[in-house]
């Protein structure tokens, strides 16, 4: 476990991100670029939450950061394939926040079809929210987000966890990809392994929108690591739809809330087609 | 650290944003956005190929620009979106309404 104590200032956020990235690498986590982007996005929002909300109007606040990254290096077998994970806990002694007071993030874009006409766009644009996305981003990009308010000498604790399938040979993955519309790696059609060859980009060129053409299931590869991991854990989408209906805090998560703390587990991202979720099954 | 470069050419304004657009730097961009809106610019292109990281505060300013320019009959386009910023835009499905 890596521990840091830093000032609660925006200028120290990159230090947290760098430390988390380094801890993941040291454990042999080998996340895909997409997974790394998701972790960075969620942690940025979490750190913002502490700086902006917990220490609003307070000078000299500090954040204790605990990073626990797991991977084959820590297990003593650096070459072994398998899962890796990271848990980051941000501890502060500022003002606790009440998750039930956080309005649910609602955006008309989340349910918008891909073939919008101008009138649709005009209406959606008029209703676009300009704030309230932080918790939604954390919850969507991480597997588990929990918050424990402090008191009685204990700090507030915001904990984020994520696991992913390791990219065992990133260089090979890059070699195996053929750029499509743009030269970015995520827009590629993987070539060598059957599972990867069987994927083609759908409407958008992201890899997470791939659907298998010939093999509906099979052994996992580095391909799946770029997909939304929470989607992988609910490949049928049924659980997520049920939970979506009952969770007031957002459409993609299950929240267990009480005055003593709360926890949310992401189960699916509503912004990606449910029909593709099953094909992104990891296990 | 964020750098903004605004270039006006006829009816079009190209705003290049480089670096990090977050809660610390978003207020600076909002000042730039206010000026663009106040001047009634009709065609605004955000060039984001140099944008390394964006958070919800940064997204909020871009959404504000988009709404205000469109409210006056203008258009905002986004170019060069990639990496972490693209992941955020995709998550929020802003790519459905922002011409790219």
């Amino acid at each position: 476990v890596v521990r840091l104590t830093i000032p609660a200032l925006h200028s120290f956020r990159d230090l947290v991100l760098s430390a988390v990235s380094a801890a993941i690498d040291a454990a042999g986590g080998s996340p895909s670029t997409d997974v790394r982007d998701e972790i960075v996005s969620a942690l940025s929002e979490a750190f913002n939450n502490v700086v902006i909300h917990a220490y609003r109007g307070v000078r000299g606040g500090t954040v204790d950061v605990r990073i626990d990254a797991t991977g084959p290096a820590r297990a003593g077998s650096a070459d072994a394939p398998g899962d890796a994970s990271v848990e980051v806990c941000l501890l502060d002694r500022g003002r606790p926040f009440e998750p039930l007071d956080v309005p649910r993030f609602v955006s008309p874009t989340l349910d918008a079809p891909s073939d919008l006409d101008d009138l649709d766009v005009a209406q959606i644009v008029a209703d676009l929210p300009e704030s309230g996305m932080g918790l939604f981003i954390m919850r969507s990009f991480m597997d588990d987000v929990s918050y424990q308010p402090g008191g009685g000498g204990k700090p507030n604790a915001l904990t984020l966890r994520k696991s992913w399938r390791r990219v065992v040979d990133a260089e090979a993955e890059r070699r195996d990809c053929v750029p499509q519309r743009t030269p970015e790696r995520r827009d590629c059609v993987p070539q060598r392994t059957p599972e990867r060859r069987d994927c083609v980009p759908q409407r958008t060129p992201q890899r997470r929108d791939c659907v298998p053409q010939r093999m509906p299931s099979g052994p996992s590869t580095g391909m799946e690591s770029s997909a939304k991991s929470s989607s992988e854990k609910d490949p049928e989408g049924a659980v997520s739809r049920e939970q979506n209906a009952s969770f007031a805090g957002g459409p993609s998560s299950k929240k267990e809330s009480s005055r003593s703390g709360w926890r949310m587990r992401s189960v699916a991202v509503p912004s990606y087609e449910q029909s593709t979720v099953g094909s992104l099954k990891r296990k | 650290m964020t750098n903004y470069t605004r270039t006006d050419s006829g009816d079009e304004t190209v705003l290049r944003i480089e670096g990090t657009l977050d809660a610390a730097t978003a207020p600076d961009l909002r000042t730039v956005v206010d000026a663009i809106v106040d001047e009634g610019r009709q065609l605004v292109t955000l060039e984001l190929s140099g944008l390394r990281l964006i958070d919800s505060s940064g997204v909020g300013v871009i959404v504000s620009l988009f709404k205000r320019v469109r409210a006056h009959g203008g258009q905002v386009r986004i170019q060069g979106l990639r990496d972490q910023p693209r992941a955020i835009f995709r998550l929020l499905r802003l790519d459905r309404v922002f011409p790219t």
Side-chain angles (χ1 to χ4, degrees):
Chain A
V1 178
V2 177
R3 296 169 190 264
L4 301 171
T5 299
I6 59 173
L9 298 171
H10 284 298
S11 54
F12 283 83
R13 182 205 49 217
D14 282 358
L15 180 60
V16 176
L17 299 179
S18 297
V20 171
S21 182
I24 289 172
D25 290 342
S30 300
S32 68
T33 305
D34 285 351
V35 168
R36 212 178 275 273
D37 287 344
E38 291 173 359
I39 294 170
V40 164
S41 299
L43 289 181
S44 295
E45 299 298 336
F47 194 73
N48 281 352
N49 195 69
V50 173
V51 173
I52 296 173
H53 299 297
Y55 285 122
R56 182 185 296 276
V58 176
R59 284 190 170 189
T62 60
V63 186
D64 293 327
V65 185
R66 296 179 186 169
I67 308 162
D68 188 4
T70 63
R74 279 189 56 181
S77 55
D79 294 330
D83 287 342
S85 67
V86 69
E87 176 180 299
V88 181
C89 184
L90 303 179
L91 302 157
D92 71 83
R93 295 183 182 279
R95 184 184 305 112
F97 91 98
E98 174 51 66
L100 296 179
D101 291 342
V102 179
R104 173 184 175 184
F105 176 71
V106 176
S107 171
T109 57
L110 298 181
D111 297 319
S114 58
D115 53 348
L116 295 168
D117 60 31
D118 285 347
L119 285 176
D120 292 332
V121 170
Q123 183 58 53
I124 286 174
V125 167
D127 295 337
L128 278 177
E130 298 177 27
S131 61
M133 306 165 217
L135 206 53
F136 178 82
I137 291 171
M138 278 188 258
R139 203 173 57 228
S140 299
F141 280 159
M142 302 299 279
D143 297 339
D144 189 270
V145 179
S146 62
Y147 182 76
Q148 191 68 32
K154 289 186 175 180
N156 305 310
L158 176 58
T159 305
L160 304 94
R161 300 182 186 86
K162 186 178 184 70
S163 60
W164 60 90
R165 197 73 176 171
R166 294 173 59 238
V167 177
V168 177
D169 187 344
E171 277 304 314
E173 185 190 50
R174 274 192 286 275
R175 284 197 305 271
D176 292 347
C177 290
V178 175
Q180 298 294 299
R181 297 178 191 174
T182 69
E184 290 181 65
R185 186 180 147 213
R186 270 176 284 186
D187 298 333
C188 65
V189 174
Q191 298 296 302
R192 289 189 185 173
T193 63
E195 296 83 4
R196 293 152 128 199
R197 194 184 307 125
D198 292 337
C199 281
V200 295
Q202 298 300 296
R203 290 169 183 252
T204 58
Q206 272 193 305
R207 287 170 62 195
R208 74 182 78 193
D209 292 330
C210 284
V211 296
Q213 301 301 297
R214 281 171 287 184
M215 297 177 60
S217 63
S220 56
T221 68
M223 182 65 180
E224 295 87 344
S225 63
S226 66
K228 176 67 178 68
S229 60
S230 55
S231 298
E232 296 159 1
K233 291 170 181 174
D234 180 26
E236 305 305 322
V239 175
S240 63
R241 281 189 288 275
E242 178 182 341
Q243 290 167 343
N244 290 349
S246 61
F247 172 42
S252 67
S253 299
K254 177 181 181 181
K255 181 169 75 173
E256 301 157 7
S257 182
S258 69
R259 298 191 69 81
S260 60
W262 52 268
R263 164 167 294 175
M264 294 182 293
R265 290 188 179 86
S266 297
V267 291
V269 176
S271 54
Y272 299 102
E273 287 78 3
Q274 291 284 355
S275 59
T276 67
V277 171
S279 67
L280 294 171
K281 183 178 181 180
R282 184 172 58 181
K283 293 179 180 176
Chain B
M1 184 69 177
T2 310
N3 290 322
Y4 309 111
T5 307
R6 175 179 165 175
T7 306
D8 291 347
S9 177
D11 290 337
E12 183 176 18
T13 293
V14 177
L15 183 60
R16 180 186 299 271
I17 305 174
E18 298 175 301
T20 300
L21 182 54
D22 59 10
T25 59
D28 293 336
L29 177 62
R30 193 170 286 279
T31 302
V32 178
V33 164
D34 287 346
I36 290 172
V37 173
D38 291 345
E39 293 169 25
R41 305 297 295 174
Q42 291 290 299
L43 296 174
V44 181
T45 298
L46 297 180
E47 213 298 309
L48 303 182
S49 60
L51 185 62
R52 182 178 64 85
L53 186 144
I54 192 168
D55 70 6
S56 55
S57 300
V59 172
V61 179
I62 290 179
V63 168
S64 172
L65 169 69
F66 191 50
K67 293 172 70 170
R68 294 161 72 191
V69 170
R70 276 194 67 101
H72 291 93
Q75 288 285 343
V76 178
R77 289 190 307 154
I78 290 186
Q79 288 181 349
L81 196 62
R82 62 191 182 94
D83 299 338
Q84 186 270 348
R86 187 171 72 163
I88 291 288
F89 274 67
R90 288 270 167 90
L91 174 70
L92 301 172
R93 286 215 161 181
L94 294 174
D95 55 319
R96 291 287 165 88
V97 292
F98 280 94
T100 55

